């Protein structure tokens, strides 16, 4: 992992920073921003954190998360250096309407964009949090306990707490250093995995009861009636698609959620062998190899049939 | 972690070893035995692996697992050194009927026994696998890919893949070294967490549908009718008690399984604040602070009521 020299120089020389990350921020986005912001403040810099969307409730244990703003406000008049974290284009951060004097991009996602004067993109990094750890060390700043908690959370979320194939030697070494600096793995995992509301668990149970499996594809669905019965909303279905992965024969796990009258949002998760982005693309959606989705208007049975058919065709070519 | 000098000497000087671990072996027991056996064979020793119970199906991906024997056979005539791993008394390994010239105990559990001539017990070690890693290094043997897979699995199982509070700096450093030596975290996690039969998942769904929560205690149950409906057996309920922990208010998660006419086996899991061993003891059972159980003969409603009452009393004193 080689940090561009110009990037280190900018962090040392500039005074005013706007750190921004993608809409619907996840643990890696939030933790990377918070840790870098704290480091820059220790260097005496002025830092504003921006995300158009609020920090989701289940990430509000992350130290400093209340510092995020959902509007740019007066920072623009100070002509800040923009740092985009965990994304690589202004649209993903809802910043496409603005222009900036200079932009740094720090990301680990695939990119087709060339946005930004300084771009540090590590496609093989498991999390942006790993990159921020190395950056903070390179700036000569000691990792504080709050930085450690934020960066450990970032890495935990993007590696499924060290369960995904992206868990390499560097990931575990950095995690060890973060625990040494004060991160508490047990407490962080409890916040991440054991803080569901009972109503959300009830919705999960109802949803798992709809399980259908055909040709290595599992589908569960959530209807509006289920939301009404349990007092839940669509955001409560986050992560539901991962549960049927537990079954040995499942190669693709699909969640279908009602978002209106005969309107459905489809999320697909692959165990890694099948590329679900190609299935999503066939329905006008998008995503990554292991996680992709699309929307469809039809009755539920038609949606399911279409998914089973499309998946069978892609699996047979894999 | 200080390895007793006599232990290293014994491993160097003795020629014939019987490695044994506890009945109902888990990933830590199996992985520790397999890795140490491989290391001793590289030193030219004769090694026999013993467990009275077979390696459970979901651990049969572990390299060398077919080397375990469920009977002692001719090894006794060779007057072996007995090494007890992941347990500290002969009863736990179903060896109480035998006497041995010399016994070494290597374990990380609480112990009240003084069995064995050489005892290396590290109560603060997250897994016996961590101790075996350091032992193999101390013997000057390089960690092979198969040892790495076995030891990584051992550590993953006993730390909930780095989610429990016992995930310390040493745990993550050792895990990093094991990945460096060839362990594949993604593949191991898939074996551990994504290889359920569909019938087992169906049983889980039925069981979660029975969820009741009172005063921070969750109870789910499994009846014999559910087993019949799904074609499952009692061993399929392993780990079910952990699922309701996902709910924020749950401090103790309880699973009740039918084992006969009005006979029930109760498993309790604590998130760490409440000591469930004291609840189990009140019903004549046993276990650890975070995982304990007992058996009871009564109708289901009576069993549940007794558990809710006993748990309320212990929680109120915590």
């Amino acid at each position: 992992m080689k940090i561009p020299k110009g990037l280190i120089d900018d962090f040392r020389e500039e005074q005013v920073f706007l750190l921004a990350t993608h809409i619907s921020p996840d643990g890696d986005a939030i933790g990377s921003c918070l840790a870098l912001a704290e480091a820059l403040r220790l260097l005496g810099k002025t830092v504003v954190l921006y995300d158009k969307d609020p920090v989701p409730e289940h990430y509000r244990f992350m130290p400093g998360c209340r510092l995020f703003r959902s509007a740019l406000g007066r920072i623009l008049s100070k002509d800040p250096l923009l740092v985009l974290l965990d994304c690589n284009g202004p649209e993903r951060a809802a910043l496409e309407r603005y222009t900036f004097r200079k932009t740094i991009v720090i990301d680990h996602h695939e990119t087709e964009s060339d946005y930004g004067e300084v771009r540090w993109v590590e496609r093989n990094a498991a999390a942006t949090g790993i990159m921020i750890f190395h950056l903070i060390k390179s700036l000569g700043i000691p990792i504080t306990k709050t930085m450690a908690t934020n960066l450990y959370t970032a890495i935990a979320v993007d590696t499924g707490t060290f369960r995904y194939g992206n868990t390499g030697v560097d990931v575990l070494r950095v995690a060890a250093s973060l625990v040494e600096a004060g991160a508490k793995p047990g407490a962080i995992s409890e916040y991440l995995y054991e803080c569901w509301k009972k109503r959300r668990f009830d919705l999960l149970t109802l949803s798992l009861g709809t399980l259908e499996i055909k040709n290595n594809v599992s589908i569960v669905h959530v209807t509006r009636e289920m939301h009404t019965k349990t007092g839940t909303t669509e955001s409560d279905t986050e992560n539901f698609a991962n549960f049927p992965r537990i079954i040995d024969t499942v190669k693709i796990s699909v969640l279908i959620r009602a978002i209106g009258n005969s309107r459905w949002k489809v999320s697909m998760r692959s165990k890694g062998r099948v590329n679900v982005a190609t299935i999503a693309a066939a329905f006008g959606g998008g995503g990554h190899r292991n996680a992709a989705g699309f929307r469809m208007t039809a009755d539920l049975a038609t949606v399911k049939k279409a998914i089973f058919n499309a998946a069978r065709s892609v699996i047979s070519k894999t």
Side-chain angles (χ1 to χ4, degrees), chain A:
Chain A
M1 198 170 285
K2 196 168 157 25
I3 306 174
K5 190 180 168 300
L7 191 147
I8 297 281
D9 293 343
D10 282 336
F11 280 115
R12 287 196 203 286
E13 290 159 18
E14 296 270 344
Q15 280 308 312
V16 182
F17 292 84
L18 172 62
L19 307 192
T21 187
H22 55 78
I23 52 176
S24 297
D26 59 9
D28 189 24
I30 297 162
S32 297
C33 285
L34 290 172
L36 182 58
E38 185 180 343
L40 292 174
R41 286 192 179 115
L42 287 178
L43 289 177
K45 315 290 187 182
T46 300
V47 186
V48 166
L49 284 166
Y50 169 78
D51 198 287
K52 185 168 172 285
D53 292 332
V55 171
E57 198 178 319
H58 52 284
Y59 289 126
R60 289 193 195 152
F61 71 92
M62 296 175 77
C65 68
R66 290 180 198 290
L67 299 172
F68 270 99
R69 297 183 191 171
S70 61
L72 290 178
R74 282 179 303 176
I75 184 72
L76 290 181
S77 65
K78 293 189 182 166
D79 199 20
L81 176 75
L82 171 66
V83 187
L84 270 191
L85 288 118
D86 201 43
C87 61
N88 52 62
E91 305 81 11
R92 282 284 291 147
L95 285 173
E96 65 274 25
R97 293 188 298 120
Y98 303 92
T99 50
F100 296 90
R101 173 174 51 87
K102 186 169 185 178
T103 299
I104 290 177
V105 168
I106 302 177
D107 190 18
H108 72 126
H109 292 99
E110 293 285 335
T111 171
E112 290 176 4
S113 131
D114 62 353
Y115 182 80
E117 281 70 34
V118 183
R119 291 174 57 80
W120 180 31
V121 178
E122 301 271 0
R123 285 173 193 79
N124 292 324
T128 299
I130 298 271
M131 302 168 69
I132 299 301
F133 172 84
H134 291 299
L135 173 60
I136 292 174
K137 297 285 265 191
S138 295
L139 288 168
I141 303 166
I143 303 285
T144 66
K145 186 176 172 178
T146 42
M147 287 179 202
T149 300
N150 281 317
L151 292 177
Y152 193 94
T153 305
I155 296 165
V157 166
D158 267 23
T159 62
T161 30
F162 314 107
R163 290 185 182 185
Y164 302 158
N166 61 2
T167 305
V169 176
D170 189 44
V171 168
L172 290 160
R173 290 237 164 90
V174 169
S177 299
L178 294 171
V179 174
E180 204 161 35
K184 302 283 181 216
I188 291 170
S189 298
E190 191 171 331
Y191 280 120
L192 289 177
Y193 305 114
E194 301 187 339
C195 283
W196 284 34
K197 297 293 170 206
K198 170 145 187 311
R199 58 178 178 270
R200 187 177 172 198
F201 193 79
D202 290 338
L203 182 69
L204 174 69
T205 305
L206 286 178
S207 167
L208 295 182
T210 69
L211 178 70
E212 286 178 70
I213 301 183
K214 272 185 200 165
N215 302 314
N216 307 116
V217 178
S218 70
I219 299 185
V220 293
H221 69 259
V222 173
T223 62
R224 292 198 292 177
E225 292 71 32
M226 292 181 193
H227 281 310
T228 307
K229 190 173 175 186
T230 53
T232 52
T233 62
E234 199 215 312
S235 70
D236 288 306
T237 63
E238 187 188 324
N239 213 27
F240 278 22
N242 282 320
F243 284 86
R245 286 175 55 136
I246 204 172
I247 300 166
D248 56 356
T249 57
V250 169
K251 291 179 181 171
I252 302 174
S253 173
V254 181
L255 167 69
I256 306 179
R257 286 164 286 183
I259 49 170
N261 253 340
S262 293
R263 290 183 52 229
W264 306 91
K265 188 170 166 184
V266 178
S267 299
M268 297 179 289
R269 297 286 179 275
S270 166
K271 280 189 188 171
R273 291 182 191 87
V274 184
N275 185 347
V276 287
T278 61
I279 302 174
F283 292 102
H288 303 277
R289 185 180 168 77
N290 291 329
F294 63 93
R295 287 162 188 241
M296 194 168 178
T297 302
D299 65 282
L300 184 57
T302 306
V303 176
K304 287 189 180 185
K305 198 172 168 188
I307 295 167
F308 279 131
N309 285 341
R312 189 177 51 201
S313 140
V314 171
I315 287 176
S316 69
K317 288 175 200 149
T318 302

